[in-house]
Amino acid sequence: MTALSVRNLNVWYGDKHTLNDVSVEIPLRRITCIIGPSGCGKSTLLKALNRLLDLNDQVKVSGQVRLDDVNIYDPGVDVTEVRTRVGLLAQKPFPLPMSIFDNVAYGPRIHGRHNGKVHALVQEQLQAVGLWDEVADRLKAPATSLSVGQQQRLCLARTLSVEPEIVLCDESTASLDPISARGIEGLLCALKDKYTVVLVTHDIDQARRLADHVIFMWLGEVVESAPAGQFFGQPKEELTQAYLAREIG
């Protein structure tokens, strides 16, 4: 089954054609890794999946990103709802300037999704990211008092607190130490039973560890998209073979 369907997607930053006629399927409740060299359009594709590109006035988008068979770029689509259903975990943790508790409670409060049970929801999400036992006795402490790895797990809990269907991760372990990075990787693997995860990564080894499906991009185009076993075991395209052998990129 498909969580998102991208059809003939083109993106321009001013006069620069960054994504060129991209068509790809994102499988439901799997981890899809988007790989490729710097500047190939990985993060642009990721941000196109929940209309974060709208925040840049210089960006022009054509084509479709279909969620429940509705093009999220159609006029009249509620962008806030799209971004609630398709959440984002950024490369660097960005806790809100408030307490640990309020960071997780923020989204459910503004969207009215807590049903009067804010504390239970916060505890559930902090447990989901393995942070509850570390912070249960200091929930009112500033979120910035946490370590960088803890902050990234807190940001993941905040993303999950509004019950998205899809979690986008933009090189979300790149700024972490190896132990914290592996912790986030473990969380993402555990989450795929409930969520669709799309992860941009520059690390081929990380993609090998995590991916159920892989999208390989080069110069704004999708070169190859396939289940991970096929992609890493029998890549079809010569460019893919060369990239995996680290001969290019």
Side-chain angles (χ1 to χ4, degrees):
M1 296 180 66
T2 300
L4 284 169
S5 180
V6 180
R7 301 178 185 176
N8 307 114
L9 183 68
N10 288 270
V11 175
W12 293 264
Y13 284 89
D15 295 330
K16 184 181 180 182
H17 197 175
T18 305
L19 290 187
N20 184 11
D21 205 31
V22 169
S23 294
V24 73
E25 306 291 314
I26 306 294
L28 182 70
R29 296 192 188 96
R30 297 289 185 271
I31 296 179
T32 295
C33 285
I34 305 175
I35 66 172
S38 296
C40 70
K42 302 186 299 293
S43 291
T44 296
L45 174 57
L46 193 78
K47 292 173 183 176
L49 300 181
N50 73 345
R51 291 190 57 170
L52 275 179
L53 295 176
D54 292 13
L55 301 178
N56 188 329
D57 294 337
Q58 302 301 313
V59 172
K60 176 185 174 184
V61 179
S62 71
Q64 299 184 0
V65 176
R66 304 193 71 84
L67 175 64
D68 287 346
D69 210 31
V70 174
N71 179 21
I72 67 172
Y73 286 93
D74 279 347
V77 168
D78 186 337
V79 178
T80 299
E81 181 184 357
V82 169
R83 292 177 186 159
T84 301
R85 296 177 65 187
V86 187
L88 175 72
L89 184 67
Q91 178 175 350
K92 295 182 179 179
F94 186 70
L96 299 174
M98 53 185 67
S99 71
I100 295 167
F101 182 94
D102 288 334
N103 261 266
V104 182
Y106 180 79
R109 280 172 172 161
I110 64 172
H111 292 292
R113 295 190 173 206
H114 53 80
N115 297 320
K117 299 179 180 178
V118 178
H119 193 279
L121 186 148
V122 169
Q123 179 174 345
E124 178 186 356
Q125 298 306 337
L126 289 175
Q127 287 174 332
V129 301
L131 200 53
W132 175 254
D133 290 342
E134 299 171 32
V135 303
D137 60 347
R138 52 182 176 131
L139 294 175
K140 295 302 181 182
T144 51
S145 67
L146 298 174
S147 70
V148 174
Q150 288 174 323
Q151 287 181 23
Q152 190 68 312
R153 283 187 282 155
L154 179 67
C155 290
L156 179 56
R158 189 178 70 211
T159 298
L160 299 179
S161 68
V162 294
E163 300 179 340
E165 300 162 34
I166 300 166
V167 178
L168 309 178
C169 302
D170 192 3
E171 299 199 31
S172 301
T173 63
S175 63
L176 304 180
D177 64 87
I179 293 175
S180 296
R182 287 301 181 95
I184 293 291
E185 288 183 5
L187 289 173
L188 295 179
C189 288
L191 291 174
K192 71 181 182 180
D193 288 339
K194 186 176 180 181
Y195 304 94
T196 297
V197 177
V198 186
L199 172 67
V200 163
T201 180
H202 66 281
D203 186 341
I204 295 175
D205 293 329
Q206 183 178 62
R208 289 182 187 274
R209 289 193 297 269
L210 300 183
D212 299 299
H213 192 89
V214 183
I215 298 169
F216 171 48
M217 299 188 67
W218 187 270
L219 297 178
E221 298 183 356
V222 172
V223 175
E224 190 161 350
S225 177
Q230 174 184 321
F231 182 89
F232 290 115
Q234 295 180 309
K236 294 181 179 179
E237 303 297 329
E238 290 185 8
L239 194 61
T240 308
Q241 296 167 16
Y243 184 75
L244 292 178
R246 293 178 168 85
E247 296 170 357
I248 58 172

